[in-house]
Amino acid sequence: MLKKILGVVFMVTLLLLPKNTKSWGFWAHKTINRIAVFTLPMEMIGFYKANIEYITEHAIDPDKRRYADPEEAPRHYLDIDKYGAAPYDNLPRKWKDAMMKYTEDTLKAHGIVPWHIEKMYYRLVNAFKEMDKYKILRNSADLGHYIGDAHVPLHATSNYNGQFTNQVGIHGLLESRLPELFNAEYDFFVGKARLINSPLQESWKAVLKSASLVDTVLKLEVEASRQVSSDMKYSMEQKGPNMVKMYSPEFSRKYHTLLSGMVERRMREAIFTVGSFWYSAWVEAGKPDLDKLVDKQLTEEEKKNLAKEEKAYNEGKLHGRTEAE
């Protein structure tokens, strides 16, 4: 009876999750921002290494703001299926054109992530031009977050938590549970950042790719559920002082295997895109000398640890850090 009650509470809680809670898990956002630092060229990496803890820890700031700022939630997603079928030509790619066709209220109701990424990019460009250390770091961290969100398939559909297909909870499963369980198997080496010609086009590229994966994400969860007995789908795990009902490691492994590396690929693409946006913003700002902004000298231990991380990145052995670290 207790198990049945806990199961009902679990499902009701998931059903009541507000739309603005969908996002990569905190671990994934921090990992994407942190590893993106190692994609940067020599002229930038010194500054970003000196501030890598800020870039990492503040990767989740936009998620924290959602509960205080009513304008924040739509910046994390785009329910592109609200505008017809792929390739979604009904939705103009430029903000002004889309606003004239659908109104600003309609656009915000269904999410604005590709346009907000473009806006954040130009904020970062201006921060570089002003040589404002705080603005550079804040905008870099925020931009990394929104780019990360654009690479999540469930951020490109109105069925963001499987609520229309009897798959409530799939959002947390895909975006938090799987990367946290299996990241040690991922290779996050993506090489060096490249110059982006159009931040808006790159933003749309990420969103459209995510949208193309939605059906696969949903169908393979159904297949995993078919292959794993219902009493093995969930397990109780200790989270801090509480016992929490989670998707079991067995079910998570089955689903992760069926996805054939999708989570790893989306995280890799997010890392590369974040680094490329930072690099491109710096170039567009005229390549200012960021070494002049390094006012905090790293300790020898910090330098040693960063050197180890960079070496692991270059060898394809950097998998991010656990929350405990």
Side-chain angles (χ1 to χ4, degrees):
M1 178 63 70
L2 179 59
K3 288 179 69 176
K4 288 183 178 180
I5 293 174
L6 287 172
V8 170
V9 171
F10 175 74
M11 295 308 292
V12 169
T13 300
L14 289 173
L15 281 166
L16 293 176
L17 277 173
K19 184 167 189 173
N20 63 1
T21 62
K22 63 177 184 173
S23 178
W24 277 117
F26 281 5
W27 179 89
H29 272 303
K30 290 180 179 181
T31 297
I32 289 167
N33 268 19
R34 188 178 192 89
I35 297 181
V37 169
F38 298 106
T39 71
L40 297 175
M42 181 179 61
E43 297 92 339
M44 297 181 70
I45 200 169
F47 170 77
Y48 276 82
K49 275 185 179 180
N51 296 284
I52 196 169
E53 297 304 329
Y54 183 101
I55 293 290
T56 302
E57 294 306 313
H58 289 269
I60 60 176
D61 282 2
D63 278 341
K64 294 179 178 179
R65 288 199 297 268
R66 289 177 307 189
Y67 305 100
D69 183 357
E71 295 292 317
E72 182 63 41
R75 300 168 181 167
H76 298 249
Y77 64 90
L78 174 62
D79 294 340
I80 200 167
D81 52 321
K82 290 292 187 178
Y83 299 97
Y88 309 105
D89 291 334
N90 290 334
L91 180 58
R93 300 314 191 235
K94 294 183 178 180
W95 172 255
K96 288 184 178 179
D97 295 338
M99 190 168 57
M100 288 186 65
K101 184 173 182 178
Y102 289 106
T103 76
E104 184 174 0
D105 288 343
T106 297
L107 295 176
K108 287 185 175 180
H110 301 316
I112 59 172
V113 67
W115 299 296
H116 193 65
I117 289 172
E118 181 189 34
K119 179 184 288 188
M120 291 303 303
Y121 170 83
Y122 286 111
R123 285 183 183 176
L124 182 56
V125 171
N126 289 332
F128 279 129
K129 288 180 177 179
E130 296 169 7
M131 286 290 279
D132 186 315
K133 176 182 175 180
Y134 173 70
K135 286 183 179 179
I136 292 171
L137 292 175
R138 183 187 65 197
N139 288 316
S140 293
D142 281 2
L143 179 57
H145 182 102
Y146 298 119
I147 291 172
D149 280 350
H151 284 79
V152 181
L154 294 177
H155 283 235
T157 175
S158 58
N159 190 23
Y160 62 93
N161 197 26
Q163 70 274 22
F164 301 142
T165 49
N166 196 30
Q167 294 171 283
V168 173
I170 192 173
H171 137 224
L173 171 63
L174 181 75
E175 303 167 11
S176 295
R177 184 68 164 160
L178 297 188
E180 288 171 7
L181 282 176
F182 305 116
N183 70 84
E185 302 171 13
Y186 299 168
D187 176 2
F188 285 140
F189 177 74
V190 296
K192 290 298 182 181
R194 67 173 177 85
L195 194 62
I196 289 172
N197 293 321
S198 169
L200 184 59
Q201 286 181 8
E202 288 296 322
S203 301
W204 274 104
K205 178 181 176 182
V207 170
L208 291 171
K209 178 63 176 180
S210 289
S212 75
L213 298 172
V214 171
D215 285 347
T216 300
V217 165
L218 297 173
K219 289 177 181 177
L220 291 182
E221 192 277 339
V222 172
E223 179 62 20
S225 297
R226 188 185 67 78
Q227 294 186 26
V228 176
S229 61
S230 58
D231 62 334
M232 294 292 290
K233 187 170 183 177
Y234 302 102
S235 60
M236 300 301 295
E237 297 185 12
Q238 190 77 37
K239 293 292 182 181
N242 302 315
M243 291 295 292
V244 180
K245 186 172 182 179
M246 306 284 289
Y247 288 97
S248 70
E250 294 80 5
F251 174 78
S252 299
R253 167 62 73 182
K254 174 60 67 176
Y255 184 41
H256 190 259
T257 300
L258 290 172
L259 287 169
S260 301
M262 182 192 294
V263 176
E264 178 186 6
R265 288 193 299 274
R266 295 311 282 158
M267 286 193 69
R268 283 172 54 87
E269 289 169 20
I271 289 165
F272 182 68
T273 305
V274 170
S276 295
F277 265 75
W278 292 345
Y279 169 56
S280 301
W282 173 74
V283 171
E284 186 158 346
K287 299 183 179 181
D289 185 358
L290 298 182
D291 289 340
K292 293 179 179 180
L293 298 179
V294 180
D295 52 13
K296 172 197 169 187
Q297 295 301 315
L298 296 174
T299 65
E300 290 304 314
E301 183 178 0
E302 287 173 329
K303 290 179 182 177
K304 184 177 179 180
N305 290 335
L306 282 171
K308 286 181 179 179
E309 280 192 72
E310 188 166 15
K311 183 174 184 292
Y313 169 74
N314 290 325
E315 294 176 351
K317 298 177 182 178
L318 186 59
H319 311 295
R321 303 184 304 172
T322 65
E323 286 296 325
E325 295 177 300

